[in-house]
């Protein structure tokens, strides 16, 4: 399973990749903004994306990504306000994580998304 | 008339709680609030960053304009970002600057979520980090800033919030 991690913070990307690797997910690509994420999104099975990023933010990326694929997207954001979460849901995300989060939240989101799509971990 | 149409105390407590939660969840540091107070206009002697080594700052726009900053001594910043990544840092580098920026980003976002239901809303900018011994940041003359003091096992640190007053339009 190929996972795309998008965040403008290098520290946050490191934290997420470490959590994914520890959970056995080693095929991970990273991008620092939405535009770079679109360029690297071919063949990706699942996306974790930040919201607040320069160049192209998370919402704009989700809208573009959704034009070509329905692969699951989890938005990871500091924007925990109700208004923002609703806006993200409308743009086509499948789930969200509010920062600050602990690393194991990442893995449990993957599990629940895989179960929803009917293909549990092998 | 009070200068604070919403009363700073109504958001001060929210920023304190969010700062403690963000630092604990992300860095593992057990942080405690050790007080807060207001700084009016030109209180040069109280310039919070001038005795610190690294400051993350994030601007608010949209509903209410202003900013929030988080400022550390080098050794505290190294331990905080070291805690985020489970690594040891020896000097302020790209990752330490990035990590401090992300901490202030999370504090601003968390505060926004708490303040939105109280009718205080704003958009978040991208965080910036400034480092170097004795760096100074200045706020507009009219700015009333609220400074928050914290203690942690890695040293003391400060946050400062500046929120422009709401403009009341005549009926
Ligand atoms: Mg970001």
């Amino acid at each position: 399973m190929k996972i795309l991690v998008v965040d403008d913070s290098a520290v946050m990307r490191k934290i997420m990749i470490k959590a994914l690797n520890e959970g056995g997910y080693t095929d991970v690509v990273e991008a620092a903004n939405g535009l770079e994420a679109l360029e690297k999104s071919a063949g990706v099975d699942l996306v974790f994306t930040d919201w607040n990023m320069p160049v192209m933010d998370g919402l704009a990326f989700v809208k573009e990504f959704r034009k070509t694929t329905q692969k699951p997207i989890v938005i990871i954001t500091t924007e925990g306000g109700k208004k923002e979460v609703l806006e993200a849901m409308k743009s086509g995300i499948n789930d969200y994580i509010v920062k600050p989060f602990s690393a194991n939240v990442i893995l449990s989101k993957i599990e629940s998304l895989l179960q929803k799509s009917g293909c549990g971990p092998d | 008339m009070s200068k604070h149409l919403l009363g700073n105390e109504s958001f001060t407590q929210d920023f304190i709680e969010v700062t403690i939660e963000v630092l604990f969840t992300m860095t593992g540091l057990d942080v405690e609030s050790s007080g807060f107070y207001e700084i009016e206009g030109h209180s040069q002697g109280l310039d919070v960053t001038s005795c610190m080594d690294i400051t993350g700052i994030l601007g608010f726009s949209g509903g209410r304009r202003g900013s929030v900053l988080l400022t550390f001594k080098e050794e505290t910043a190294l331990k905080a970002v070291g805690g985020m990544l489970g690594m040891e840092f020896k000097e302020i580098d790209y990752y330490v600057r990035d990590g401090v920026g992300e901490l202030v980003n999370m504090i601003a976002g968390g505060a926004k979520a708490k303040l939105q239901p109280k009718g205080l809303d704003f958009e978040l900018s991208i965080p910036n980090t400034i480092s170097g011994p004795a760096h100074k940041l200045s706020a507009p003359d009219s700015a009333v800033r609220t400074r928050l003091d914290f203690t942690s096992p890695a040293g003391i640190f400060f946050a400062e919030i500046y929120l422009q007053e709401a403009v009341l339009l005549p009926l």
Side-chain angles (χ1 to χ4, degrees):
Chain A
M1 186 157 90
K2 190 172 172 184
I3 300 175
L4 173 60
V5 168
V6 193
D7 200 308
D8 57 326
S9 163
V11 167
M12 291 313 296
R13 293 199 303 272
K14 252 186 194 290
I15 290 172
M16 285 190 268
I17 292 167
K18 193 175 156 206
L20 290 170
N21 289 346
E22 281 168 8
Y25 301 97
T26 50
D27 191 5
V28 183
V29 240
E30 55 180 307
N33 62 62
L35 198 61
E36 195 187 330
L38 285 175
E39 286 162 7
K40 294 183 173 176
S41 65
V44 157
D45 300 298
L46 172 66
V47 181
F48 285 98
T49 182
D50 184 24
W51 182 327
N52 199 12
M53 295 180 287
V55 189
M56 182 190 277
D57 72 14
L59 277 195
F61 161 69
V62 170
K63 284 174 193 157
E64 283 302 311
F65 185 79
R66 276 285 170 262
K67 287 180 184 170
T68 56
T69 169
Q70 289 305 311
K71 296 287 184 191
I73 305 173
V74 180
I75 205 159
I76 302 185
T77 178
T78 59
E79 299 273 356
K82 265 198 184 130
K83 204 175 76 182
E84 280 73 17
V85 168
L86 283 174
E87 194 186 346
M89 283 298 188
K90 266 191 251 162
S91 79
I93 60 158
N94 300 75
D95 210 336
Y96 67 96
I97 296 173
V98 176
K99 294 179 187 176
F101 61 89
S102 49
N104 53 16
V105 174
I106 301 272
L107 297 179
S108 61
K109 286 289 178 195
I110 298 181
E111 261 177 56
S112 74
L113 280 171
L114 291 179
Q115 263 154 23
K116 273 183 209 162
S117 65
C119 51
D122 40 53
Chain B
M1 201 187 91
S2 164
K3 280 194 84 171
H4 315 294
L5 297 171
L6 232 146
N8 277 13
E9 63 283 357
S10 68
F11 62 76
T12 300
Q13 206 52 45
D14 292 315
F15 273 95
I16 291 174
E17 281 169 22
V18 166
T19 303
I20 291 171
E21 187 200 342
V22 165
L23 267 288
F24 182 71
T25 312
M26 298 312 297
T27 71
L29 286 175
D30 228 327
V31 171
E32 277 180 59
S33 165
S34 53
F36 61 89
Y37 50 92
E38 283 181 4
I39 304 163
E40 304 244 357
H42 275 308
S43 302
Q44 295 290 353
L46 291 170
D47 190 344
V48 69
T49 62
S50 61
C51 55
M52 307 304 269
D53 301 310
I54 181 165
T55 301
I57 185 162
L58 186 149
F60 304 135
S61 61
R64 282 285 279 274
R65 290 196 293 172
S67 58
V68 57
L69 67 79
L70 188 66
T71 186
F72 297 99
K73 288 265 192 206
E74 180 172 15
E75 61 265 29
T76 313
L78 300 185
K79 287 213 176 94
V81 180
M84 289 173 91
L85 290 172
M87 289 166 63
E88 203 177 314
F89 288 94
K90 299 245 182 280
E91 59 182 359
I92 292 175
D93 64 4
Y94 170 74
Y95 284 104
V96 176
R97 283 191 289 271
D98 182 283
V100 168
E102 193 57 22
L103 289 174
V104 78
N105 188 30
M106 288 186 212
I107 291 168
K112 175 178 166 161
K114 280 176 181 272
L115 294 172
Q116 235 178 33
K118 296 183 182 178
L120 206 164
D121 203 3
F122 42 78
E123 305 297 321
L124 305 180
S125 71
I126 305 287
N128 277 304
T129 308
I130 305 122
S131 60
H135 57 282
K136 277 201 166 191
L137 293 174
S138 51
D141 279 1
S142 60
V144 176
R145 295 168 284 157
T146 304
R147 171 164 150 187
L148 315 177
D149 295 0
F150 296 96
T151 59
S152 84
I156 59 165
F157 66 92
F158 308 104
E160 202 172 88
I161 309 145
Y162 158 49
L163 267 187
Q164 200 182 52
E165 287 167 46
V167 176
L168 288 184
L169 296 172
L171 292 172

